[in-house]
Amino acid sequence: MSYSIFLLRFVGGEVAALDAERFRQVTEPYVVAGGFDEGFSQLRTPDGGSADLYHASHGDDGMSCVTATHFARGTMLDLLTHLAVALEAAVVPQDGAALIFHEDQRRHLPAELQAHAAVITPTDGALQTALEAH
């Protein structure tokens, strides 16, 4: 069984489209299988860490979510942090509170996520520490 995290951008409590070009810019150097047009990318960082990303577009609404599974700790989680910041997305673990990078993101979360959302710094190691704390 795999653990999943979701990168979601919220505006006014609703899911909003993610910037596909920013997604490509951040992930392309690390893609070893699949690719943006396939809706699946396997990434590998220089330290050997890997992750599977699912990122299908949904018609005119664009890319609404990036799901990361089978991800390594360390540098890969730092890359996922960089991706979330670039996409202005919250990180929503499958079993935990939303993680946001700026307090002003909280007001855009759906009401049920606002109270328990945690603000983390967009620095190396921060996402790993937050995930391990939950």
Side-chain angles (χ1 to χ4, degrees):
M1 184 164 177
S2 175
Y3 186 78
S4 300
I5 60 173
F6 307 92
L7 305 184
L8 295 157
R9 183 171 162 263
F10 295 101
V11 175
E14 300 293 326
V15 173
L18 299 167
D19 187 319
E21 187 55 36
R22 285 185 186 169
F23 175 86
R24 287 180 208 239
Q25 289 171 352
V26 173
T27 61
E28 222 165 61
Y30 305 96
V31 173
V32 295
F36 181 78
D37 294 332
E38 296 177 40
F40 168 81
S41 298
Q42 184 177 53
L43 307 183
R44 184 156 295 117
T45 53
D47 68 349
S50 63
D52 295 337
L53 300 185
Y54 298 87
H55 45 81
S57 294
H58 300 287
D60 294 336
D61 294 337
M63 188 171 60
S64 59
C65 178
V66 174
T67 303
T69 65
H70 303 106
F71 52 87
R73 299 183 186 285
T75 305
M76 182 52 69
L77 282 176
D78 297 340
L79 175 61
L80 293 176
T81 297
H82 181 67
L83 178 60
V85 170
L87 296 174
E88 300 175 347
V91 176
V92 183
Q94 71 182 33
D95 63 353
L99 303 170
I100 55 178
F101 298 99
H102 305 284
E103 182 59 40
D104 62 334
Q105 285 180 291
R106 185 181 307 274
R107 67 185 172 92
H108 290 290
L109 294 172
E112 62 272 13
L113 295 179
Q114 288 182 10
H116 298 290
V119 179
I120 63 172
T121 58
T123 58
D124 290 352
L127 180 56
Q128 182 169 321
T129 299
L131 291 175
E132 289 172 351
H134 293 285

